[in-house]
Amino acid sequence: FQRPKDFDLKRYDDEGRFRFGNGERIRLSFSIDGEYGAHLLETPLSADQTVKEREDGSLRISATVVDSLLLMQWLRGFGDAVSHVRKKRLH
């Protein structure tokens, strides 16, 4: 294997390529049951993550992330505990 001269492993990882993404950044927002989403208070998805606690105990999460297949599979893994998923493409 001969690495291309312009290849940057950190940039490749930052673009989400190892998580089956194409580098596209999105603003992801979703609601999650408070019990399932509590870990996101200690380990945020991104530095700009915001969390709003709702009256019903759920959390409304918003964060800028790299869109990827693994991200969507992670969200689906919570089943009915996640709802109102929105993805806004950033340009």
Side-chain angles (χ1 to χ4, degrees), residues 31-72:
S31 295
I32 187 167
D33 180 281
E35 182 179 333
Y36 290 92
H39 71 282
L40 295 171
L41 300 174
E42 295 179 3
T43 55
L45 295 172
S46 68
D48 70 348
Q49 174 178 295
T50 61
V51 179
K52 293 182 182 174
E53 294 186 49
R54 302 172 68 181
E55 289 183 22
D56 65 359
S58 67
L59 303 173
R60 185 71 185 163
I61 308 290
S62 184
T64 302
V65 295
V66 174
D67 194 12
S68 71
L69 178 60
L70 286 180
L71 174 66
M72 293 302 111

Side-chain angles (χ1 to χ4, degrees), residues 23-29 48 63-68 71-72 86-90:
E24 183 178 11
R25 298 185 69 74
I26 59 170
R27 187 70 184 170
L28 176 70
S29 59
D48 70 348
T64 302
V65 295
V66 174
D67 194 12
S68 71
L71 174 66
M72 293 302 111
R86 303 282 184 264
K87 297 186 328 182
K88 180 180 178 185
R89 296 173 192 251
L90 302 177

